[in-house]
Amino acid sequence: MAQAQDKNSQGTERFYLTTPIYYVNARPHLGHAYSTIVCDAIARRKRALGIDTWFLTGTDEHGQKIERSAKLAGRTPHEFATAISGEFRALWDQLGLTYDDFIRTTEDRHKRSVQHLFATLRDRGYIYKGSYTGQYCVFDELYVDGPPGTPCPDCGRITETVSEENYFFKLSAFEHRLLEFYEANPAFMQPESTRREVISFVRGGLKDLSVSRTSFSWGIPVPGDEKHVIYVWLDALANYITALGYGTENDEKFKKYWPADIHLIGKEISRFHCVYWPAFLMAAGIEPPRSVRANGWLLFDQGKMSKSRGNIVRAETVHAVLGSDALRYFLLREIPFGQDGNFSFDALVQRYNGDLANGYGNLVSRVVNMVHKYFGGVVQEPGGESAAETALRQSAQRTLSEFATQFDDLNFSDALKTLWALVAETDGYLTANAPWKKPADRSDADHVALQARVLATAAEAIRIITALVYPVLPDAAAKVWRQLGQGEIADAAKASFLTQLAWGGLKPGTRFADPAPLFPRAEKDAVERMVAMEEENSKSVIEAAGGPFAAQAQLAAAPAPIQEPKKKAEKKPMEETKPTPAPEAAPAYSVPAATSATPAAAPAAATTAPQAAPSSPAPAPEAQTASPQVITIDDFAKVELRVAQVLVAERIPKADKLLRLEVDLGYEKRQILAGIAQYYEPEKLIGRKIVIVANLAPRKMRGLESNGMLLAASLPPDGAPVLAGFLEDVPLGARLK
Ligand code: MSP
C-alpha cells in the first residue's frame, strides 16, 4: 500500500523515514547495512519524485550493555561509543548512503529533548515512582516476566534479577487505546505476522513499564532525580523526534516532518516500536508514526547474522570486490522485504554476473556501442513504429506503473523482477531485429532506417530502466545517464525527474558520451577473494585481541582505533593450509558421516574428547591414537560447533545403537541420528542442552537423514559417551569457539 503523504508548509509533499539506531557494542555488519540501504533506496526515489524527504539514522549509545562492552575494552563508555558510532557513519558514507541526519543518543540535543519528553510524561500523570523486583535481559535491554533464572524470550540468555526503586510508565492505561489505534490504522504495522504478534501481545494485557534504572549510570539522568537514568528504550525511541528538535526552540523540523511515514526496523524490535513507542507518544500528546515496517533477518551460515553468533559478513568486503551497487541490488532483489533471507557469496556473485554484468550492463553496452558505431554517437529519428516497437513501448509504459506500485509498497524484489523483465524484453527486441546484420534483400536505406529505429527505441527503453533503477543502483545509473547524453542523474533527481518520466523522452539528435564499463564480469576468484578478506579480518581482530579466547570477549566489542594495526597475511605453504583430516580411530556418537552407528567405528568429533573427559585416570583411547598433527585456528574455525536442545529423542526400530533426535538450534530445528542408544535413555535426553557439529554434510542412515553430530567425551575402556554440556545456561544456537 502506498504511503500517505502530507504537504509541508510550502505545499510540497513531505516524507520522513528512519532506520533503527544501531547499538554501538558491535561493529556494523551486513545486517545493519541492510536496513540502512533499504531506507536509502526509498529516500532516493521519494526525492526524485519531488517529495521533500528527511532520512534519519544514528547510533544508540546508552545502557548497561554498552557500559559493560566499554569496560571490557578498557575504555570509557563515551570513548567506546564514539569510536563505534564513527565506524557506522564512515561505512554509510563509504556506501554513499544519503541520510539527512545522523543522531547519536549521547549528543546534548538528544539528551535535553529526552528529558523534556520524560518531564512531559510525568507532568501529564503517566509516570509515577514505585519499586521493581524482577528479571531483566541486559542484552536486549528488556524487562521479562518470570522467576529468577527465566531466559529472555528474545535471545534466550538468562535474565538478571534487578531490584530497584524505579519510575514507571502507565503502559496499562494504553491497552484499549492501542488496540483501537491498530484497528483504525490497519497499515500501521507490516508485515501481517508482525501485526498479529503485536496485537496478541497487547491483548494478553499490558503491565506498567519501568522507565528508569539506578544500578548503573551510563544513561540520561531523570530530570530532577539524577540518581536515576532513563530506560534505554525510552531514550532510544525518542531519537525519532529529538533529531527533529522536539521540545526545543528549534522545532521547525518536528513541525514539518512528524509524524514519521516509515520507521523501518528489524522484526525483533517490533514490540518496542508498535507498543511502547505509540503509547509514549499518545501519553505525551504527540501523534504516533504512520507506519512501522519490519524487515526480516539476513541469515548467514544458517543463522541470523549477528556479532554474538560470530557469523557476520562486512559490507566493506562486498563493496571492495563488487561495489556498493552490487550489494544494494542483491539485498533488494534477493530478499522479499519482510522475510528472512540468506546471504552467500556464491549467490551474490551469481546475481551480479547474471543480472548486472550479463543483463543490464551488457544491454547498455551493446546499444551505446552500436549508436557510436553506426551513427557517430547521435540518436536518430526513430521513424514510425512497427509492431515490435509498439510492444516494447507498451511494456515500458506498463513497467513504469507496476514498478512504482511495487516499489512504493516496499516490494523491492518484485519491482526489480518487473524491471528486469523489461531488460530481457529489450535484449530480445535487439536480437530479433539484429541492427548489426543486413540481409541481402534489404536495401541500404531500409537498413539504416531500421538501425535508427531499433537503436533509438532500445535506448529509450534503457533510459526508462535507468531512471527507475536509480534508487537501487545509483552509481551505475549515474554512469548510464551520462552515456545516454542526459547529464548528471543527481541533478535530474533534484529536479524531480521521476515525476515526468514517460516514453519518448530521448530526443533525436542527443549525443551519447563514450561507452564506459558498468559491471565487469566477476571472475571465478571473486568469491574466494571475499571469503579470504573476511577470514583475514577476523584473524586480525583475533590477533589484536590477544588470542582466540580473549577474542571471544572482545571480538567486535573493541572499536577499531583501539586495535593494533592489522598484520600482513603471511603466505603459508600449501600443506599447512590443507584441511586436517579427522583422526581415523576417533570415536563419535552421531553418524552423519559415519559408515556405521557403532561408536567405535564411527569417525570424527573426538578431537575434543581428551579435554572434555573429566580428570580421567588414564588417557582416553583416542588420546593415544590421535594424530599429532597440529591444526591452525582457521582449520578449527571450519567446524561449526553450536548449542542445541533436544526436543524429541526416540529409538529407531531394528537399530539398537541408534537414537533419532530432533534438536532445536534456536534458529532452526534438525534431525540427528546418534549412536548413543546403549548409553542414554531417550526420555532422559529431552530438554537437555547439547553441543553439535552444525555444518557437517547430511547423511542418510536407515532411510533417515542425519543433519549434524553430537559432541561427547569418550570414556575408557569401551568408549562410553558422555555428552558435552554447560554449567551455565547458554542460549540455543550459541557457537563454541
Ligand atoms: N538499538 C536498538 C534499536 C533502537 S531503535 C530506536 C537495536 N540495535 S541493533 O544494533 O541491535 O539492531 C539494529 C537493527 O539492525 C535492528 O533493526 C536489527 O534487526 C538490524 N539487524 C541486526 N542484525 C540483522 C540481521 N542479521 N539481519 C537484518 N537486520 C539485522 O536493536
Side-chain angles (χ1 to χ4, degrees):
M1 180 182 311
Q3 293 301 311
Q5 278 118 31
D6 274 347
K7 308 278 175 189
N8 63 14
S9 52
Q10 288 87 48
T12 320
E13 283 184 322
R14 101 302 171 273
F15 193 88
Y16 178 35
L17 89 159
T18 64
T19 71
I21 50 171
Y22 302 101
Y23 282 134
V24 290
N25 67 318
R27 293 206 175 111
H29 57 68
L30 266 189
H32 305 120
Y34 178 44
S35 325
T36 324
I37 285 174
V38 169
C39 281
D40 183 69
I42 300 171
R44 282 177 186 268
R45 180 169 157 85
K46 294 289 175 196
R47 292 189 196 110
L49 282 167
I51 297 166
D52 176 353
T53 301
W54 197 255
F55 163 21
L56 174 72
T57 189
T59 42
D60 187 353
E61 305 187 8
H62 287 130
Q64 204 165 2
K65 176 160 70 167
I66 312 293
E67 195 180 63
R68 286 182 184 174
S69 297
K71 203 165 169 197
L72 204 66
R75 295 280 137 163
T76 66
H78 195 266
E79 280 170 348
F80 183 79
T82 301
I84 303 249
S85 174
E87 287 198 33
F88 274 96
R89 197 170 178 146
L91 177 61
W92 302 158
D93 292 342
Q94 189 185 12
L95 297 176
L97 306 185
T98 56
Y99 56 88
D100 294 291
D101 192 4
F102 185 105
I103 186 146
R104 297 183 54 191
T105 56
T106 48
E107 286 175 73
D108 278 345
R109 61 169 174 156
H110 174 75
K111 290 196 231 170
R112 277 198 304 274
S113 187
V114 167
Q115 287 183 324
H116 177 82
L117 175 64
F118 193 96
T120 305
L121 295 173
R122 196 171 47 190
D123 294 348
R124 291 170 67 102
Y126 289 106
I127 282 186
Y128 64 93
K129 218 170 190 179
S131 67
Y132 175 81
T133 298
Q135 302 311 118
Y136 191 75
C137 170
V138 176
F139 185 80
D140 284 315
E141 304 283 9
L142 177 71
Y143 293 94
V144 174
D145 287 337
T150 302
C152 169
D154 284 357
C155 68
R157 289 172 175 81
I158 289 297
T159 50
E160 298 181 12
T161 304
V162 294
S163 185
E164 286 174 302
E165 183 199 53
N166 285 146
Y167 285 96
F168 282 83
F169 172 72
K170 283 189 188 167
L171 185 63
S172 55
F174 290 90
E175 208 173 295
H176 296 295
R177 276 182 70 180
L178 282 170
L179 289 170
E180 276 166 23
F181 173 71
Y182 303 149
E183 177 85 33
N185 298 279
F188 172 65
M189 305 176 271
Q190 289 176 59
E192 192 48 35
S193 51
T194 299
R195 185 179 157 76
R196 273 199 307 269
E197 219 176 279
V198 168
I199 291 180
S200 95
F201 174 76
V202 176
R203 283 205 183 120
L206 294 178
K207 286 197 192 138
D208 290 353
L209 180 72
S210 169
V211 286
S212 75
R213 304 284 311 271
T214 52
S215 58
F216 67 97
S217 59
W218 182 236
I220 301 175
V222 166
D225 195 355
E226 312 238 319
K227 73 174 197 298
H228 291 259
V229 292
I230 295 173
Y231 175 43
V232 65
W233 270 101
L234 174 52
D235 166 347
L237 288 161
N239 90 87
Y240 302 131
I241 54 175
T242 66
L244 300 178
Y246 160 77
T248 70
E249 282 175 6
N250 187 8
D251 65 353
E252 305 81 47
K253 287 204 187 74
F254 178 65
K255 288 186 182 133
K256 178 169 165 187
Y257 291 113
W258 192 259
D261 292 273
I262 297 181
H263 286 322
L264 195 116
I265 61 160
K267 62 180 178 180
E268 80 285 6
I269 51 175
S270 33
R271 188 197 307 175
F272 300 101
H273 283 81
C274 301
V275 181
Y276 299 170
W277 182 226
F280 293 151
L281 289 167
M282 287 169 181
I286 302 171
E287 208 181 318
R290 294 204 172 113
S291 81
V292 176
R293 301 291 302 255
N295 60 256
W297 288 339
L298 207 55
L299 311 175
F300 188 65
D301 279 353
Q302 302 166 338
K304 181 191 176 201
M305 195 181 285
S306 73
K307 177 200 122 188
S308 51
R309 282 184 199 273
N311 63 346
I312 61 159
V313 174
R314 296 165 317 132
E316 292 90 329
T317 295
V318 181
H319 178 255
V321 175
L322 297 176
S324 82
D325 275 5
L327 177 60
R328 296 167 73 98
Y329 182 80
F330 179 83
L331 294 174
L332 292 168
R333 169 65 182 81
E334 191 80 10
I335 306 166
F337 186 79
Q339 295 177 24
D340 291 350
N342 273 308
F343 177 85
S344 82
F345 289 119
D346 285 326
L348 171 71
V349 168
Q350 220 171 334
R351 274 256 171 249
Y352 173 89
N353 278 338
D355 294 7
L356 300 180
N358 298 341
Y360 174 58
N362 184 47
L363 173 67
V364 172
S365 141
R366 286 170 89 189
V367 172
V368 172
N369 276 305
M370 282 192 278
V371 171
H372 277 284
K373 185 168 172 191
Y374 301 125
F375 298 111
V378 178
V379 179
Q380 304 298 297
E381 188 64 60
E385 260 184 12
S386 76
E389 282 78 41
T390 307
L392 190 62
R393 173 174 56 75
Q394 287 174 344
S395 292
Q397 285 164 332
R398 239 188 346 265
T399 302
L400 278 168
S401 75
E402 259 174 48
F403 179 91
T405 310
Q406 290 166 329
F407 192 102
D408 294 340
D409 216 5
L410 311 198
N411 187 355
F412 310 111
S413 181
D414 282 345
L416 290 170
K417 236 186 262 174
T418 301
L419 199 52
W420 255 251
L422 185 59
V423 170
E425 196 176 328
T426 310
D427 227 19
Y429 163 79
L430 268 184
T431 307
N433 290 286
W436 55 86
K437 201 168 72 190
K438 182 173 137 2
D441 60 350
R442 188 187 290 157
S443 73
D444 285 352
D446 281 354
H447 186 59
V448 172
L450 176 136
Q451 284 180 316
R453 188 176 71 241
V454 170
L455 292 176
T457 306
E460 175 58 355
I462 291 175
R463 191 187 67 91
I464 302 263
I465 293 164
T466 304
L468 290 178
V469 86
Y470 156 75
V472 180
L473 301 176
D475 293 346
K479 287 187 195 162
V480 177
W481 211 244
R482 274 181 228 126
Q483 290 179 49
L484 296 182
Q486 305 295 300
E488 292 306 309
I489 204 161
D491 294 342
K494 271 192 208 121
S496 321
F497 76 139
L498 290 186
T499 52
Q500 298 114 39
L501 188 64
W503 185 266
L506 183 63
K507 299 294 171 224
T510 302
R511 180 167 289 281
F512 278 9
D514 287 342
L518 276 186
F519 297 106
R521 227 189 119 72
E523 296 306 328
K524 283 202 188 83
D525 68 348
V527 170
E528 286 146 41
R529 278 166 59 211
M530 287 188 279
V531 171
M533 283 168 81
E534 286 302 288
E535 278 175 6
E536 185 57 31
N537 177 65
S538 57
K539 200 159 53 174
S540 70
V541 173
I542 287 170
E543 281 164 356
F549 298 109
Q552 270 315 294
Q554 299 203 2
L555 194 64
I562 302 167
Q563 281 177 27
E564 312 213 331
K566 284 184 185 178
K567 276 199 188 167
K568 265 205 166 155
E570 282 168 29
K571 283 242 179 312
K572 290 182 187 144
M574 287 295 277
E575 308 80 75
E576 267 186 50
T577 54
K578 262 199 291 184
T580 310
E584 300 278 302
Y589 303 102
S590 68
V591 286
T595 47
S596 145
T598 315
T607 40
T608 51
Q611 290 91 329
S615 58
S616 309
E622 57 278 24
Q624 296 154 0
T625 54
S627 156
Q629 194 165 15
V630 169
I631 62 166
T632 65
I633 185 84
D634 290 351
D635 293 330
F636 175 67
K638 288 185 191 132
V639 184
E640 195 186 322
L641 301 174
R642 290 195 187 272
V643 177
Q645 188 165 36
V646 179
L647 302 176
V648 175
E650 59 191 23
R651 294 187 188 279
I652 298 177
K654 299 199 193 118
D656 54 356
K657 290 172 186 155
L658 269 188
L659 287 187
R660 189 186 80 83
L661 307 179
E662 279 173 36
V663 303
D664 185 1
L665 276 159
Y667 53 91
E668 68 172 45
K669 300 188 174 61
R670 301 192 176 185
Q671 170 171 283
I672 296 183
L673 307 185
I676 56 174
Q678 291 164 310
Y679 303 94
Y680 282 93
E681 289 300 321
E683 48 285 4
K684 292 221 171 107
L685 287 172
I686 292 169
R688 183 159 170 172
K689 284 192 179 163
I690 56 171
V691 177
I692 70 162
V693 181
N695 61 342
L696 213 54
R699 181 177 171 84
K700 272 216 163 155
M701 300 287 307
R702 311 227 169 214
L704 295 170
E705 192 170 88
S706 183
N707 283 292
M709 179 161 76
L710 274 52
L711 228 61
S714 153
L715 300 190
D718 60 350
V722 177
L723 290 173
F726 297 90
L727 287 178
E728 291 84 2
D729 204 0
V730 279
L732 299 187
R735 187 158 180 189
L736 281 78
K737 291 181 170 179

